[in-house]
């Protein structure tokens, strides 16, 4: 197995939305905002190279939306999904599986693209199966009013219509071995229903793809919960459980949305769980 971090593009989100009830005077110490109150966000995906599979975890938001849509998210930098996969030594067509932590637009948007004449959509990974779970698919395709703007039909229905949609078996535990994959999955329900976070054994370490359970290092303190979460009190419980586990077991946390930190560890302190060390992916594994 070989892992490759994939930078699918940077954008910005409202700092208040990202930190919920935490005052700006506190959260801006770790996540400084611009004049529009926006903070830097990454769409950092992960490519898993194995002898018989090439699995991409998440896809970023893609490029098919309107200029008006992207105007809300202020894309910045030069990263994009296709170039990053090619930099790792592969083409989009070689990807066999796309594992989606959840189906919000900034995690699944890159799965679907315009066709050549912009008359319709096509799959960006034409030879891949796209993996979610039945509970989350139902949640995303029959969205509540709070999340409706995050679950976009043009990101979801083309996957089903192409016949490339696959479901993991129904989970019975918080941490469960993923059917069809060589890793375990931590299921979290606070941000959205049945978010799936891969826990990968790699070079003697446990690397956990954190998705939206821990967006950035600034979200490590337990009350720092996103305003976007559908069940914030449940997120609080899930973060406490997982971060205590990560500290005691020495997990390495792969941050999808932190534009300035790729991998971190956490530790117990008198003030609770706090940042221990931060690494680039290459520092740890190359």
């Amino acid at each position: 197995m070989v892992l490759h971090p994939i930078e699918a593009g940077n954008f910005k989100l409202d700092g208040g939305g990202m930190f919920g009830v935490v005052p700006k005077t506190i959260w801006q110490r770790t996540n400084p905002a611009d004049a529009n109150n926006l903070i830097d966000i990454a769409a950092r995906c992960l490519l898993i190279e194995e002898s018989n599979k090439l699995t991409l975890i998440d896809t970023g938001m893609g490029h098919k939306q309107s200029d008006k849509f992207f105007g809300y998210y202020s894309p910045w930098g030069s990263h994009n999904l296709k170039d990053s996969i090619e930099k790792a030594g592969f083409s989009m067509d070689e990807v066999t599986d796309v594992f989606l932590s959840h189906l919000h637009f900034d995690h699944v948007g890159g799965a679907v693209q315009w066709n050549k004449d912009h008359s319709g959509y096509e799959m960006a990974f034409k030879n891949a199966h796209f993996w979610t779970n039945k509970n989350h698919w139902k949640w995303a395709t029959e969205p509540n009013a709070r999340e409706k703007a995050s679950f976009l039909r043009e990101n979801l229905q083309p996957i089903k219509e192409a016949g490339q949609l696959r479901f993991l078996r129904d989970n019975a535990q918080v941490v469960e071995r993923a059917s069809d994959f060589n890793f375990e999955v931590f299921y979290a329900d606070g941000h959205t229903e049945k978010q799936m976070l891969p826990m990968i054994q790699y070079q003697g370490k446990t690397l956990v793809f954190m998705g939206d359970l821990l967006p950035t290092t600034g979200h490590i303190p337990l009350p720092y919960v996103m305003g976007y979460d559908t069940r914030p009190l449940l997120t609080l419980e899930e973060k406490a459980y997982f971060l205590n586990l990560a500290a005691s077991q020495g997990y390495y946390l792969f941050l999808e949305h932190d534009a300035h930190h790729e991998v971190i560890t956490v530790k117990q302190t008198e003030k609770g769980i706090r940042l221990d060390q931060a690494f680039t992916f290459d520092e740890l594994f190359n």
Side-chain angles (χ1 to χ4, degrees):
M1 177 190 290
V2 180
L3 302 184
H4 307 271
I6 299 296
E7 299 286 354
N10 296 329
F11 57 103
K12 291 178 179 284
L13 286 175
D14 181 79
M18 286 297 290
F19 284 92
V21 299
V22 179
K24 180 180 180 180
T25 53
I26 297 176
W27 59 252
Q28 71 176 353
R29 298 171 190 169
T30 56
N31 298 71
D34 66 14
N36 294 315
N37 210 47
L38 303 176
I39 64 173
D40 290 349
I41 297 292
R44 183 175 298 112
C45 310
L46 189 63
L47 191 66
I48 306 175
E49 176 189 354
E50 298 176 279
S51 58
N52 62 337
K53 279 180 182 288
L54 187 63
T55 301
L56 178 66
I57 302 174
D58 281 358
T59 69
M61 67 171 64
H63 301 283
K64 65 182 176 297
Q65 305 300 329
S66 67
D67 289 343
K68 180 180 179 180
F69 176 92
F70 286 116
Y72 297 127
Y73 302 105
S74 302
W76 58 277
S78 59
H79 294 312
N80 67 79
L81 184 61
K82 181 177 181 292
D83 287 350
S84 190
I85 289 174
E86 290 178 352
K87 184 178 178 181
F90 302 97
S91 71
M92 306 272 276
D93 291 349
E94 290 179 278
V95 174
T96 62
D97 296 89
V98 177
F99 186 98
L100 297 162
S101 66
H102 60 297
L103 299 172
H104 286 165
F105 68 86
D106 55 321
H107 297 258
V108 68
V112 177
Q113 63 190 16
W114 286 109
N115 59 19
K116 288 184 179 180
D117 61 5
H118 276 226
S119 62
Y121 298 117
E122 64 183 16
M123 303 309 298
F125 303 93
K126 65 182 183 181
N127 297 315
H129 292 150
F130 292 79
W131 295 86
T132 181
N133 61 76
K134 289 181 180 178
N135 282 7
H136 185 62
W137 179 260
K138 186 175 189 300
W139 184 271
T141 55
E142 301 173 17
N144 58 73
R146 184 180 175 89
E147 285 184 282
K148 189 174 183 180
S150 293
F151 292 126
L152 305 181
R153 180 179 175 83
E154 60 267 31
N155 288 336
L156 306 181
Q157 291 307 316
I159 302 176
K160 182 177 181 181
E161 292 167 3
Q164 293 172 246
L165 178 65
R166 298 292 184 273
F167 296 125
L168 267 66
R169 68 183 180 210
D170 293 342
N171 73 297
Q173 304 176 74
V174 173
V175 177
E176 191 163 81
R177 193 75 181 179
S179 56
D180 300 287
F181 293 95
N182 190 29
F183 51 74
E184 291 184 317
V185 172
F186 181 88
Y187 286 88
D189 296 313
H191 178 61
T192 189
E193 176 75 7
K194 291 291 177 286
Q195 179 182 194
M196 305 189 298
L197 307 179
M199 303 174 65
I200 303 163
Q201 301 302 316
Y202 185 56
Q203 295 187 11
K205 299 177 175 67
T206 300
L207 184 74
V208 186
F209 187 91
M210 292 307 298
D212 280 340
L213 181 61
L214 187 70
T216 75
T217 56
H219 289 85
I220 292 173
L222 295 184
Y224 290 34
V225 172
M226 289 189 291
Y228 305 119
D229 286 15
T230 58
R231 305 176 182 115
L233 295 181
L234 182 54
T235 295
L236 198 67
E237 294 177 12
E238 291 169 340
K239 275 181 65 179
Y241 172 84
F242 183 85
L243 291 181
N244 278 287
L245 184 65
S248 65
Q249 298 300 313
Y251 291 167
Y252 290 80
L253 309 182
F254 183 92
L255 300 180
E256 184 169 14
H257 283 321
D258 193 318
H260 307 292
H261 301 90
E262 294 182 22
V263 183
I264 64 169
T265 55
V266 293
K267 62 183 178 181
Q268 291 280 2
T269 74
E270 293 180 355
K271 294 183 178 181
I273 297 291
R274 291 294 185 268
L275 176 67
D276 182 16
Q277 293 180 280
F279 310 88
T280 67
F281 190 89
D282 286 346
E283 285 175 337
L284 279 176
F285 298 116
N286 293 320

